[in-house]
Every structure is written in structure tokens, then in C-alpha cells.
Amino acid sequence: MSRNLPHSHSPAEPAWVHQANQPVTYPRMFVEIAESLGVSGDRVLARAGLAGDVLDDPAGRLSLAASSRILESALALTGDTTLGFQAGLRLPLTAHGSLGYALMCADTARQATQILKRFWHLRGRGVLLMVTEEGFDLMLELVPELPISVNLREPLFSSTLTSMFRGLQLVSPSLAVHQELWLQGDPPLGFDTWRPYLPPVRFGMPQAGLLIHSDKAWLDEPLPTANPEGLTQAISQCERESALMDSDGDVLQRTRTALTPGPSGYPSPEQVAAQLCLSPRTLRRRLQEQGYNYKQLLEEARQRDSRQLLVMPELGIHRIAELLGYSEPANFTRAFKAWNNLTPSQWRRRQGNPAGP
């Protein structure tokens, strides 16, 4: 995604950027906030090059390109860079469709986290969710699927993370004081207005996410909103929605799931293809159609898994490098520092774990 996302298809973009896979719920919220600030919804949509009725169907979907233009338009016309926080505070769990209802009905926070990971793709494309446990910390990290300008990234991520915070407040109110919201940009003008309604927010961080610090026992404590019957119905609906989604997108998700390190490292492209019951050529073509290749997804998996392995004190840096598929520990160290601005040993010491050999 470029600074001004093009209205027509760009050869550099995967096809799904222009496919209707984003719920209208989120862009409509930005339009509603713009209206509350004195900017008509028709003006926001017209500036985005969209028809005035494009958001009328509550069950409708837009492309990522169109949704991004609506956010960009709302920001330009209102001049309010706190739109993301405002949108997140207005989005209850029920705004997230069947996935939101499933989260609300989950038995425990651990089960809710697993459901969120499993069905995250139902709420659209463009942002990946990475869940990592590091010591007593649980990090729900957001990572863009495509390059995105800071001007759009910050309100988009602040909206998503604030909504996640609100959802966690509902299902587990006692956790509110243990949360931190991390963003990579600077505080937006007017942020102090919304600060009292949020957990501690840390700007200028190396990653964006919701950090939860607590005794791990909380993950398995019963939630007050648990509803086994409702959960069964919500999961069934999520599964139906997932089955109706683009099969190519499912290949991308299944490839990410398959890229898990074993005793000998990650599976090869041929091994991944076999797990997905595809030929290597078909897997390569399906991923290319989505704007990805095996090497990109392997790098994404290494970044995801490196921190999870580093919290295991019994694993030395050399062994972790082997598990991640690096022939030399120095190559792993360079890659890890590029991701986190710290070497693996420095990061491990910050977590209170020994550096390891």
C-alpha cells in the first residue's frame, strides 16, 4: 500500500487489495466520527471516490483499497489524528461479527486468544496478528501485510488495539490495569483528551501491539461472559464464513500455519506443499497470486518464533539459530537485531533470562 493507495489496480499489488474482503463496519465508524466532527459522510465518501450508499448494507464488504481511501479521506477532512482511538473506543466486541461473539462466549482467555488467532482473517486483510508469550507477558502484535504509510498505520493500529483493549475489559475486567498499548509513531495532537479512557499507551515502540502483563494463571481462569452454547453457535458461524472465503487466501493462511519449526528446522517448500495436498508449483503460483512467496513467509515465521524460543532458558543461541534454519548464529543475530534493534542476548537479558551459549 503506497502513501496514496491507487484507485486502479497497480501491478505491484496483490489482487486481494482490490477484492471486497473488508467488513464495512470499520470504515463506516470512521465516517460516523467524521460526521460527529461536522464533516458529512457524503463528503468523506466523495473524496474517496466512492458512491454515497457504499456503506449502507451492514453486512457489506469493501476492498482494502477502498477502506484505506475512506480512512485517508476522513483524516484529511477532519484534521483529527486521534480518529483511531475514537473509533476503537466506539467498537464493542459485538461490532466484530461472529468472531466478536465467539470471543465473548469463550470459556477462558486462553481459548479466546486461540479463537482470535484462528479466525482473525474473517475481519479482513491487510494486518496480521502475531501472538507471543514472553515470560509473564502476552503480546498481541499487529504487523502490516503490505507497506503502509505512517499517516494511515497509526490510526488503523490505534483503532484495532483500542478495540481489543475494550473487548478484554468486557470479558476480563480485572486485567485492565495490566495492559499496555504499544504504537510505533508519535502521540497525535489531542491525544490527552482520550488518555483517561485507555490503558497506558507507549509511543515510539519497536512494534505495535497490546501487551498484557500478569501471572499466566489468568489465561486459564473462567471468564464471566462464558457461554458454551453461544460459543458453539458462534464457532460454527465463523467456520461457515471461513469456508466461503477465497480458497487462495486459505492457502496463504495454511502455509503460515505449516511454517512451524521442528527438530530439523522449518519444512521446505516441497514439504509445505505436501501438507497442503498441492504440488510445489501450484503452491508457488497460489502464493504469488497473493503477493507472497515461500522466502517471505519463512522470514515472517522466523521473526514470530525467535522470541518464543528465546524465552526458553534451556535453549542456547546456537541451538535457536539452528531451529530457525540459520547455518551460522551470526546470521541469526544480524536478522534478529534488524527486527528488534537488540541482539538475541540483549533481548534475553531484558527478559531476565540468561544469555545462553
Side-chain angles (χ1 to χ4, degrees):
M1 190 186 308
S2 60
R3 179 169 292 276
N4 292 302
L5 209 81
H7 290 223
S8 59
H9 188 90
S10 167
E13 295 170 340
W16 57 261
V17 170
H18 296 271
Q19 295 169 352
N21 53 30
Q22 309 285 127
V24 300
T25 305
Y26 311 122
R28 185 171 59 210
M29 180 58 69
F30 286 114
V31 170
E32 289 177 1
I33 294 172
E35 289 176 332
S36 73
L37 297 172
V39 178
S40 74
D42 287 341
R43 281 188 65 197
V44 175
L45 295 175
R47 189 182 184 282
L50 298 168
D53 62 354
V54 71
L55 301 176
D56 287 355
D57 180 4
R61 286 184 173 258
L62 294 177
S63 69
L64 177 62
S67 297
S68 298
R69 293 201 304 271
I70 290 174
L71 172 55
E72 190 175 46
S73 178
L75 288 166
L77 292 174
T78 63
D80 191 333
T81 52
T82 68
L83 287 184
F85 293 108
Q86 296 182 56
L89 288 169
R90 294 189 186 195
L91 287 168
L93 266 180
T94 51
H96 306 297
S98 300
L99 174 57
Y101 188 57
L103 295 173
M104 190 164 60
C105 295
D107 294 333
T108 65
R110 186 182 301 280
Q111 185 182 51
T113 302
Q114 293 168 345
I115 292 169
L116 185 63
K117 289 169 60 180
R118 179 183 175 190
F119 294 114
W120 177 262
H121 63 284
L122 295 182
R123 304 312 292 170
R125 296 290 302 273
V127 178
L128 304 175
L129 175 69
M130 294 188 178
V131 181
T132 56
E133 289 187 45
E134 301 169 356
F136 290 109
D137 293 340
L138 178 71
M139 170 61 86
L140 307 177
E141 181 182 358
L142 302 183
V143 179
E145 284 195 76
L146 294 174
I148 182 173
S149 72
V150 173
N151 291 346
L152 292 182
R153 183 194 67 199
E154 293 305 292
L156 176 62
F157 281 14
S158 61
S159 171
T160 303
L161 294 171
T162 301
S163 182
M164 291 167 70
F165 159 71
R166 287 255 292 132
L168 207 50
Q169 272 189 315
L170 174 66
V171 301
S172 190
S174 63
L175 278 182
V177 297
H178 302 299
Q179 298 178 67
E180 282 185 7
L181 199 156
W182 287 17
L183 291 167
Q184 294 163 288
D186 298 323
L189 186 66
F191 171 70
D192 285 344
T193 301
W194 307 104
R195 188 190 298 273
Y197 307 102
L198 299 165
V201 180
R202 300 179 65 184
F203 295 96
M205 300 302 287
Q207 63 200 107
L210 185 65
L211 179 70
I212 305 166
H213 181 81
S214 183
D215 188 321
K216 283 188 179 180
W218 73 269
L219 282 169
D220 299 303
E221 292 176 2
L223 295 177
T225 56
N227 182 338
E229 182 179 356
L231 177 63
T232 299
Q233 295 173 352
I235 292 294
S236 296
Q237 182 60 30
C238 286
E239 290 173 340
R240 284 192 291 271
E241 292 177 20
S242 187
L244 291 172
M245 292 188 72
D246 189 341
S247 61
D248 286 343
D250 185 54
V251 166
L252 177 61
Q253 182 65 31
R254 289 165 61 201
T255 301
R256 284 193 171 108
T257 301
L259 284 171
T260 302
S264 302
Y266 290 94
S268 66
E270 293 74 20
Q271 290 170 325
V272 171
Q275 287 185 47
L276 272 56
C277 300
L278 299 171
S279 70
R281 172 184 279 185
T282 299
L283 174 62
R284 184 166 57 251
R285 177 177 58 80
R286 293 279 189 89
L287 292 178
Q288 286 174 345
E289 290 171 354
Q290 295 293 302
Y292 286 89
N293 58 45
Y294 172 86
K295 186 177 179 180
Q296 287 173 291
L297 295 177
L298 176 61
E299 191 72 0
E300 178 187 295
R302 284 169 164 170
Q303 182 176 357
R304 175 195 67 204
D305 297 329
S306 59
R307 290 178 299 208
Q308 292 181 312
L309 293 171
L310 281 167
V311 299
M312 302 179 185
E314 69 274 14
L315 292 177
I317 301 298
H318 190 280
R319 178 56 179 151
I320 292 173
E322 289 179 344
L323 290 172
L324 295 175
Y326 291 97
S327 56
E328 295 292 337
N331 295 336
F332 167 50
T333 296
R334 279 193 293 272
F336 190 87
K337 190 169 184 179
W339 300 327
N340 301 283
N341 294 319
L342 295 169
T343 67
S345 296
Q346 289 169 336
W347 186 92
R348 193 172 236 180
R349 282 195 293 270
R350 284 198 176 189
Q351 306 303 308
N353 293 327

